[in-house]
């Protein structure tokens, strides 16, 4: 029983809807197992004898009896049992008369420490280790209770106050402010240039670093969970700014370089970060703060060196249903968002780093495919308040997918939850199934077909779930369950490579593992090999990794470049440069696992030359 309890605790920390493991079922299983274990342990411990009693033939007794003469125990007892449990009465007179007098031998039970500790079974020969194994099981169950309840019950974070930067363009920045103390109203938002003292504008006039007003917040209430968004406008491109909020929050951000250009500093490298999946107090540590997020500390260590423009977070910012769902109302969802922002580790990754977001299932419910029905209405309330309000521009009014251009890259952030068909309504090859819905797929196709402004050399698609079909467990929730639409998108991406000059990559998350996958066009077709599309799927930022290997290449359509499953904290850095003496742009993906750089990969844009696929491939590289 002790082993079972420990195994259940370990598995309960390895539960995730992404892999279709029902995490919310484990707490009641653990409590039920404990309720069975306590009386079973007590009964066995109290009734088990500390001696074994056995008989031997007279000529086979040498060396088996206890020291000294034969023990003064009624020999007829041996006819009844090989051992005498505590509390049993001696045999009757009739039994005594029917028994042949034989020697009886007593042997004290040997202590089985390892068996006791591993199985949780009591050992009559060792009261100490029996109590130790029982205590271990009780402590493990207490840890489960602590993991599940300490955060939600003792830290609902109603009083969390913060400000963070959302989407930053080349001329504006969005700031999200939360302040539950309405005595702070009105709240003033100010900003100023933050370059080094003595810096000059384009090498001539001195920079004006005087504070300017960005606006005021006059009203906050529970209707918006005491949040409000402020937009700072009329900013200069590729410039460092400081913002300050009158409720004692401040931070910095850097505006994007103008369309098609690279940053003036940072060696001309345009960098942004990507990851997904956050759960406070995972992996579990009983001595840490219940809202601690260890992966954020790993990220914070690298922020000063990477000079990233923003974090592109690809979903599962909250886990409403792991390890236990506490409610389906709006407040239950809001609490999950507040707890992330109230984490003691959050300020270190938001003070100088803008965050933009994509929606995934755990912001609603595991493997969500219910469109806007049911839980969606409660779940989308805090998603819009905390994320959409400061996200990039919507592709169209009312949509929950976004598009923007920064420097050398054009982005399309898909919504793979709101518009999809049910996963098991039809087989993956069905023409009736859709991941994106009729309108979103049309918008994505238009974005892929359009010509980008001069200097924009990469089209980057953000998908909350993996595009590859190489993940073999729970794959119906990924693009592997929507193969017809996937093929349509792949062909449109290969067409981009056929035109030349612009490369396409996909960024995804969700699986708590890392994999880089290539999607080469079919041989003998119109597309050159240089049109190959690449996907980098990175997660979790701070969660558990799966101990079971679930990614496997089985055909030549989805080619595995690199698979790194281990690591509780993973994020990627995408760096785009244009060498001075080259017609091509270079994209480098750097992977960081548990705070250390673990792997990197370099791509170049397809050659911008006329001719067929063979001719283009001869110049690619």
């Amino acid at each position: 029983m002790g082993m079972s309890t420990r195994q259940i605790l370990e598995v309960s920390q390895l539960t995730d809807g992404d892999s279709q493991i029902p995490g919310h079922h484990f707490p009641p299983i653990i409590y039920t197992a404990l309720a069975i274990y306590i009386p079973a342990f007590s009964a066995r411990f109290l009734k088990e004898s500390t001696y074994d009693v056995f008989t031997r033939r007279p000529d086979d007794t040498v060396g088996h009896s206890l020291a000294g003469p034969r023990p003064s125990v009624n020999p007829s007892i041996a006819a009844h049992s090989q051992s005498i449990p505590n509390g049993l009465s001696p045999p009757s007179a009739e039994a005594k008369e029917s028994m042949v007098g034989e020697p009886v031998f007593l042997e004290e039970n040997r202590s089985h420490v390892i068996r006791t500790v591993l199985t949780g079974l009591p050992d009559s020969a060792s009261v100490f280790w029996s109590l130790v194994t029982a205590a271990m099981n009780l402590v493990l169950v207490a840890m489960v209770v602590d993991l599940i309840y300490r955060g939600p019950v003792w830290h609902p974070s109603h009083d969390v106050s913060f400000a963070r930067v959302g989407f930053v363009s080349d001329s504006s920045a969005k700031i999200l402010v939360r302040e539950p103390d309405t005595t702070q109203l009105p709240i003033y938002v100010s900003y100023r240039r933050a370059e080094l003292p003595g810096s000059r504008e384009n090498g001539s006039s001195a920079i004006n670093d005087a504070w300017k007003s960005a606006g005021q917040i006059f009203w906050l209430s529970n209707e918006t969970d005491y949040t409000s968004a402020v937009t700072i406008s009329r900013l200069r491109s590729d410039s460092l700014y400081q913002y300050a909020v009158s409720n004692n929050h401040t931070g910095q951000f850097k505006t994007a370089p103008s369309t098609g250009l690279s940053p003036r500093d940072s060696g001309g490298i345009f960098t942004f970060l990507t990851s997904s999946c956050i759960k406070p107090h995972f992996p579990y540590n009983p001595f840490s703060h219940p809202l601690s997020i260890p992966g954020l500390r790993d990220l914070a260590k690298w922020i000063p060196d990477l000079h990233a423009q923003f974090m592109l977070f690809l979903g599962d910012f909250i886990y409403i249903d792991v390890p236990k769902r506490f409610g389906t109302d709006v407040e239950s969802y809001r609490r999950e968002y507040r707890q992330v922002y109230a984490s003691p580790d959050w300020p270190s990754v938001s003070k100088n780093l803008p965050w933009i977001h994509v929606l995934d299932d755990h912001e609603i419910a595991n493997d969500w495919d219910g469109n806007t029905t049911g839980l969606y209405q409660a779940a989308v309330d805090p998603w819009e308040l905390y994320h959409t309000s400061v996200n990039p521009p919507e592709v169209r009014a009312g949509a929950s997918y976004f598009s923007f251009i920064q420097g050398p890259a054009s982005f399309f952030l898909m919504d793979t939850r709101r518009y999809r068909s049910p996963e098991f309504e039809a087989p993956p090859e069905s023409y009736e199934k859709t991941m994106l819905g009729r309108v979103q797929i049309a918008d994505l196709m238009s974005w892929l077909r359009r010509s980008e402004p001069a200097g924009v050399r990469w089209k980057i698609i953000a998908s909350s779930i993996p595009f590859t079909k190489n993940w073999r467990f729970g794959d119906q929730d990924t693009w592997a369950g929507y193969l017809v639409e996937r093929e349509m998108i792949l062909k449109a991406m290969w067409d981009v490579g056929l035109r030349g000059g612009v490369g396409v990559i996909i960024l995804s998350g969700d699986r708590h593992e890392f994999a880089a996958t290539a999607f080469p066009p079919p041989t003998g077709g119109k597309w050159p090999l240089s049109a190959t599309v690449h996907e980098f799927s990175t997660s979790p930022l701070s969660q558990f990794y799966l101990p079971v290997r679930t990614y496997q290449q089985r055909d030549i359509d989805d080619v595995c470049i690199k698979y790194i499953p281990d690591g509780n904290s993973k994020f990627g850095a995408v760096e785009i440069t244009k060498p001075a003496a080259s017609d091509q742009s270079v994209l480098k993906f750097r992977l960081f696992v548990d705070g250390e750089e673990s792997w990197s990969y370099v791509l170049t844009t397809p050659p911008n030359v006329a001719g067929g696929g063979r001719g283009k491939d001869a110049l690619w590289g």
Side-chain angles (χ1 to χ4, degrees):
M1 172 63 202
M3 184 63 171
S4 298
T5 303
R6 276 184 278 280
Q7 288 175 329
I8 291 174
L9 176 65
E10 292 169 359
V11 173
S12 72
Q13 295 188 39
L14 298 175
T15 59
D16 178 38
D18 299 336
S19 301
Q20 298 182 332
I21 304 173
H24 56 284
H25 294 324
F26 279 96
I29 293 175
I30 293 171
Y31 304 149
T32 301
L34 180 66
I36 296 172
Y37 174 70
I38 292 176
F41 179 94
S42 302
R44 177 162 179 163
F45 181 72
L46 294 175
K47 292 184 179 181
E48 190 176 54
S49 173
T50 59
Y51 289 93
D52 281 339
V53 181
F54 54 91
T55 62
R56 296 289 188 275
R57 293 182 181 276
D59 60 350
D60 193 32
T61 60
V62 178
H64 292 280
S65 63
L66 297 175
R70 187 177 67 184
S72 58
V73 178
N74 193 324
S76 64
I77 296 176
H80 288 272
S81 173
Q82 291 297 313
S83 61
I84 305 177
N86 292 336
L88 292 182
S89 58
S92 63
E94 292 78 9
K96 293 179 181 180
E97 293 177 0
S98 65
M99 306 303 293
V100 177
E102 294 183 354
V104 176
F105 301 88
L106 295 180
E107 183 178 272
E108 188 174 11
N109 289 339
R110 289 176 297 172
S111 177
H112 300 282
V113 176
I114 295 178
R115 184 191 69 181
T116 301
V117 173
L118 293 181
T119 66
L121 296 173
D123 185 351
S124 60
S126 176
V127 174
F128 174 77
W129 287 110
S130 296
L131 295 178
V132 166
T133 194
M136 290 172 63
N137 281 281
L138 293 175
V139 168
L140 289 172
V141 174
M143 292 167 68
V144 171
V145 174
D146 177 65
L147 169 67
I148 295 172
Y149 292 100
R150 182 152 58 113
V153 173
W154 296 106
H155 298 272
S157 304
H158 291 292
D159 59 348
V160 61
S161 171
F162 70 88
R164 77 166 182 90
V165 185
F167 175 66
V168 179
S169 72
D170 59 356
S171 61
S172 66
K174 296 180 179 180
I175 310 293
L176 178 69
V177 178
R178 185 178 195 274
E179 181 51 70
D181 181 5
T182 55
T183 63
Q184 299 274 354
L185 296 174
I187 293 175
Y188 299 90
V189 180
S190 305
Y191 69 99
R192 69 171 181 174
R193 294 286 292 274
E195 275 86 2
L196 294 174
S199 299
R200 292 186 172 274
E201 200 75 72
N202 298 324
S204 56
S205 60
I207 290 176
N208 180 4
D209 60 357
W211 285 99
K212 301 178 180 64
S213 174
Q216 301 176 44
I217 301 172
F218 295 98
W219 177 84
L220 291 169
S221 75
N222 188 57
E223 183 177 335
T224 61
D225 206 19
Y226 300 95
T227 65
S228 183
V230 176
T231 299
I232 305 175
S233 304
R234 300 185 299 277
L235 305 177
R236 293 187 64 89
S237 63
D238 202 8
S239 299
L240 185 65
Y241 286 87
Q242 179 185 5
Y243 72 91
V245 186
S246 60
N247 62 340
N248 201 31
H249 297 293
T250 186
Q252 290 185 337
F253 61 87
K254 187 180 181 183
T255 51
S258 298
T259 299
L261 299 182
S262 298
R264 289 190 297 268
D265 54 9
S266 305
I269 302 174
F270 178 86
T271 304
F272 67 93
L273 310 179
T274 181
S275 189
S276 71
C277 305
I278 287 176
K279 180 64 181 179
H281 222 190
F282 267 67
Y284 176 71
N285 182 344
F287 304 107
S288 66
H289 191 286
L291 302 183
S292 65
I293 306 176
L296 297 187
R297 296 194 290 272
D298 293 333
L299 172 61
K301 182 176 70 173
W302 283 95
I303 288 177
D305 296 329
L306 293 174
H307 304 288
Q309 296 286 143
F310 56 87
M311 163 63 79
L312 175 55
F313 196 79
L314 298 175
D316 292 343
F317 187 77
I318 66 166
Y319 275 73
I320 188 67
D321 47 5
V322 175
K324 174 182 172 61
R325 177 186 281 276
F326 282 86
T328 59
D329 58 329
V330 169
E331 171 55 26
S332 295
Y333 283 95
R334 288 181 174 182
R335 182 186 64 245
E336 296 288 326
Y337 284 83
R338 292 195 305 265
Q339 287 180 319
V340 175
Y341 287 119
S343 169
D345 300 310
W346 173 256
S348 63
V349 299
S350 64
K351 192 176 183 65
N352 302 316
L353 180 67
W355 284 58
I356 57 180
H357 292 268
V358 170
L359 181 71
D360 200 24
D361 58 336
H362 286 290
E363 281 97 344
I364 311 168
N366 177 43
D367 292 351
W368 180 256
D369 61 358
N371 302 127
T372 59
T373 62
L375 296 172
Y376 184 86
Q377 296 305 321
V380 79
D381 171 88
W383 156 255
E384 291 179 342
L385 294 175
Y386 285 96
H387 290 172
T388 301
S389 62
V390 290
N391 243 13
E394 301 165 340
V395 173
R396 60 178 65 240
S400 49
Y401 49 96
F402 313 90
S403 183
F404 63 97
I405 296 176
Q406 277 206 12
S410 178
F411 296 81
F412 193 101
L413 280 53
M414 298 190 294
D415 182 344
T416 63
R417 292 296 168 185
R418 177 181 175 183
Y419 307 97
R420 69 160 62 189
S421 304
E423 295 173 18
F424 299 102
E425 186 178 71
E429 301 82 6
S430 172
Y431 283 84
E432 303 301 319
K433 291 185 73 174
T434 177
M435 175 75 78
L436 303 181
R438 179 180 58 84
V439 177
Q440 185 179 188
I441 189 66
D443 288 336
L444 175 61
M445 291 299 176
S446 296
W447 176 80
L448 285 168
R449 286 193 297 265
R450 83 182 187 194
S451 297
E452 297 295 348
V456 175
R457 308 302 300 275
W458 294 92
K459 288 180 180 284
I460 298 175
I461 298 175
S463 172
S464 65
I465 43 90
F467 199 76
T468 179
K469 59 182 186 300
N470 284 349
W471 264 291
R472 303 295 173 174
F473 186 60
D475 58 343
Q476 290 295 307
D477 184 56
T478 73
W479 281 96
Y482 300 78
L483 293 178
V484 173
E485 194 165 271
R486 189 187 98 121
E487 184 71 14
M488 182 192 313
I489 296 171
L490 268 175
K491 290 179 178 179
M493 291 190 289
W494 291 331
D495 283 342
V496 175
L498 177 62
R499 295 193 296 268
V502 176
V504 181
I505 68 166
I506 303 167
L507 300 175
S508 64
D510 181 71
R511 301 300 299 194
H512 294 208
E513 299 176 296
F514 170 81
T517 309
F519 306 95
T523 58
K526 66 176 181 178
W527 299 286
L529 185 61
S530 57
T532 298
V533 175
H534 295 80
E535 176 184 28
F536 301 97
S537 187
T538 312
S539 65
L541 181 54
S542 192
Q543 257 272 25
F544 55 83
Y545 67 89
L546 293 179
V548 179
R549 304 308 183 236
T550 63
Y551 178 97
Q552 181 181 2
Q553 178 184 335
R554 296 185 181 178
D555 56 41
I556 60 173
D557 298 331
D558 297 26
V559 180
C560 175
I561 300 172
K562 190 69 173 181
Y563 175 46
I564 302 178
D566 296 350
N568 292 318
S569 172
K570 305 185 190 76
F571 68 91
V574 179
E575 299 178 345
I576 300 175
T577 58
K578 184 183 182 303
S582 175
D583 293 329
Q584 293 176 280
S585 175
V586 177
L587 184 148
K588 182 179 182 179
F589 184 92
R590 300 169 63 185
L591 176 68
F592 299 84
V593 179
D594 292 336
E596 300 298 330
E597 186 167 6
S598 301
W599 182 76
S600 65
Y601 196 73
V602 176
L603 301 171
T604 57
T605 52
N608 189 13
V609 297
R614 182 71 176 172
K616 289 177 180 289
D617 286 343
L619 299 174
W620 185 50

